[in-house]
Amino acid sequence: MPSFDIVSRVDMQEVDNAVNQTVKEIGQRYDFKGAKCEVTLEKESIRILADDDFRLKAVVDILQSKFIKRGISPKALQYGKAEAASGGMVRQIVTIQQGVSKEKGKEIVAVIKDSKLKVQGQIQDDQVRVTGKSRDDLQEAIRLLKGKDLGIELQFVNFRD
């Protein structure tokens, strides 16, 4: 039976490059002269430390633009709440979304079922496998999911006939 997998993956090398470009731009920009701003990449998150809320928002804007230029969707980022840090600074943790969560998987399967297409969706760990009798039905399911805004970036991989 023809099938394909729905995944949500981010290339961590591109994330590293985007963070490095952000740090470089912060060091060169005039409005950040004398300001203490840090952007560090941890395992599955990015930690932003800035002097105040205004600079924090500016750093987030720079980071988003670098992500877009590197071909990474901003939907892959989940922003935590900005919180006060020591020394009157502001900290924010940005989590990088890897994989399709159980809730989003259920939402994707529900969208597929509501469409009345002759395909079945099945949640498998951090991906959703879609199977059907014809290739055309699978392509229609891909078209349907691309048209929906589910809040995460989706890739369609492992298409088998």
Side-chain angles (χ1 to χ4, degrees):
M1 282 190 59
S3 68
F4 69 90
D5 294 333
I6 302 170
V7 297
S8 179
R9 294 190 187 125
V10 177
D11 184 5
M12 290 307 286
Q13 183 61 49
E14 292 296 329
V15 171
D16 185 41
N17 293 340
V19 169
N20 289 338
Q21 286 180 342
T22 302
V23 169
K24 190 173 183 180
E25 184 170 330
I26 288 170
Q28 293 174 346
R29 279 184 44 168
Y30 181 75
D31 56 340
F32 284 100
K33 291 280 190 236
K36 183 167 176 17
C37 293
E38 291 179 12
V39 180
T40 53
L41 177 64
E42 292 162 359
K43 202 164 194 113
E44 292 290 320
S45 64
I46 301 168
R47 189 170 49 87
I48 303 171
L49 192 65
D51 289 341
D52 51 30
D53 287 330
F54 175 74
R55 287 211 172 94
L56 180 71
K57 285 184 176 80
V59 170
V60 168
D61 287 343
I62 294 169
L63 187 66
Q64 283 179 342
S65 70
K66 297 301 177 190
F67 266 68
I68 291 169
K69 284 183 184 176
R70 306 284 319 167
I72 303 170
S73 173
K75 291 180 182 179
L77 302 176
Q78 290 184 329
Y79 297 95
K81 200 177 90 181
E83 52 194 33
S86 62
M89 299 184 77
V90 182
R91 177 188 316 121
Q92 185 172 20
I93 305 293
V94 181
T95 308
I96 300 164
Q97 175 88 23
Q98 290 277 38
V100 179
S101 67
K102 293 281 186 202
E103 296 82 32
K104 288 295 178 183
K106 288 177 184 177
E107 193 176 330
I108 290 169
V109 170
V111 166
I112 290 171
K113 281 185 179 178
D114 291 344
S115 69
K116 304 287 190 237
L117 291 172
K118 294 181 181 174
V119 295
Q120 292 84 37
Q122 181 179 2
I123 300 171
Q124 296 179 338
D125 292 330
D126 62 345
Q127 66 183 16
V128 177
R129 173 154 296 160
V130 179
T131 57
K133 290 188 178 187
S134 84
R135 186 179 192 154
D136 294 335
D137 289 339
L138 294 178
Q139 290 173 339
E140 189 62 37
I142 290 173
R143 208 171 300 117
L144 170 78
L145 290 170
K146 281 185 177 178
K148 293 276 185 189
D149 182 26
L150 297 169
I152 60 171
E153 185 66 21
L154 298 177
Q155 291 94 29
F156 305 97
V157 297
N158 205 14
F159 198 101
R160 297 186 181 177
D161 234 351

